[in-house]
């Protein structure tokens, strides 16, 4: 039964991540692009000038990297390779029973965010990005979406959990 709960947890996080991302993108495409007073790329302040929403259709990867590549290379690097990597990571988290709940959540968030963006590339040929943070030059992001946020959050959690595990390994050696 414990294994079934673990698998259900992984699937739930992946499905919720994809659903939340796709719903947000549908809303952005519907309400920002179709509004006559707001053209794609225009800024909509959500919290002053610090948290801004805009619509950018990204044919590349993070920050548009790869958008200038030829079509074949873009398919390999932005569709085939990510699908293979996501498949291997998914297989890993289902098989590795030693992963703690935070690591499972982190990996599932990364997989869900990755699948959501790959889905966009397959269906639309591009990814809808719409959030931008600018904290007065102290911290500034590129334009991103909720799938990107899930992948980044998952990576941060994995990084933090790896630091947490290292001291325990050192204690066990001594």
């Amino acid at each position: 039964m414990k294994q079934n709960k673990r698998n259900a947890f992984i699937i739930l996080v992946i499905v919720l991540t994809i659903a939340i991302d796709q719903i947000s993108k549908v809303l952005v495409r519907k309400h920002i692009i179709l509004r006559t007073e707001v053209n794609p790329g225009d800024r909509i302040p959500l919290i002053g000038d610090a948290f801004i929403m805009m619509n950018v259709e990204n044919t590349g990867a993070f920050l548009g990297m790869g958008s200038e590549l030829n079509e074949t290379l873009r398919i390999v690097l932005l569709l085939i390779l990510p699908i293979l990597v996501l498949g291997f990571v998914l297989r890993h988290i289902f098989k590795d029973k030693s992963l703690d709940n935070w690591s499972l959540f982190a990996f599932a968030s990364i997989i869900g965010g990755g699948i959501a963006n790959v889905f966009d590339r397959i269906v639309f040929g591009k990814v809808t990005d719409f959030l931008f943070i600018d904290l007065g030059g102290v911290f500034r992001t590129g334009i991103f979406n909720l799938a990107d946020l899930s992948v980044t959050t998952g990576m941060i959690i994995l990084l933090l959990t790896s630091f947490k595990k290292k001291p325990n390994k050192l204690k066990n050696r001594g």
Side-chain angles (χ1 to χ4, degrees):
M1 182 64 179
K2 188 175 182 181
Q3 182 62 35
N4 289 339
K5 281 186 178 181
R6 183 181 183 279
N7 291 346
F9 174 73
I10 293 167
I11 292 167
L12 180 67
V13 171
I14 291 170
V15 169
L16 283 176
T17 301
I18 294 167
I20 291 168
D21 174 73
Q22 291 299 305
I23 291 167
S24 70
K25 290 173 182 174
V26 166
L27 291 172
V28 165
R29 286 185 208 111
K30 180 178 179 184
H31 294 290
I32 294 181
I33 291 177
L34 297 179
R35 285 175 49 185
T36 56
E37 71 274 13
V38 179
N39 296 319
D42 282 354
R43 294 172 167 239
I44 301 169
L46 297 175
I47 302 174
D49 287 335
F51 197 69
I52 298 163
M53 197 158 94
M54 62 180 72
N55 186 345
V56 175
E57 298 297 330
N58 184 357
T59 58
F62 179 69
L63 298 176
M65 289 186 282
S67 58
E68 71 287 342
L69 295 173
N70 72 50
E71 189 63 24
T72 303
L73 204 49
R74 233 184 12 229
I75 288 170
V76 170
L77 294 177
L78 300 180
L79 283 178
I80 296 171
L81 185 60
I83 290 169
L84 291 173
V85 170
L86 291 169
F88 282 119
V89 174
L90 184 61
R91 183 174 169 260
H92 168 72
I93 65 172
F94 276 122
K95 285 187 149 210
D96 187 348
K97 308 302 182 222
S98 69
L99 293 171
D100 61 79
N101 288 341
W102 280 108
S103 295
L104 286 176
F105 176 79
F107 278 121
S109 296
I110 292 167
I111 292 166
I115 290 171
N117 279 340
V118 166
F119 174 83
D120 285 356
R121 286 189 186 100
I122 291 170
V123 173
F124 303 107
K126 56 193 170 199
V127 175
T128 301
D129 291 331
F130 56 91
L131 295 169
F132 176 72
I133 300 171
D134 184 357
L135 302 178
V138 176
F139 177 79
R140 186 177 182 180
T141 67
I143 303 166
F144 62 97
N145 59 45
L146 295 183
D148 300 333
L149 183 63
S150 295
V151 170
T152 303
T153 302
M155 294 301 289
I156 291 169
I157 291 170
L158 287 177
L159 184 66
L160 293 174
T161 58
S162 73
F163 286 134
K164 181 181 170 190
K165 289 177 185 175
K166 283 186 180 181
N168 293 337
K169 288 180 182 177
L170 293 175
K171 286 179 188 176
N172 293 336
R173 287 186 196 172

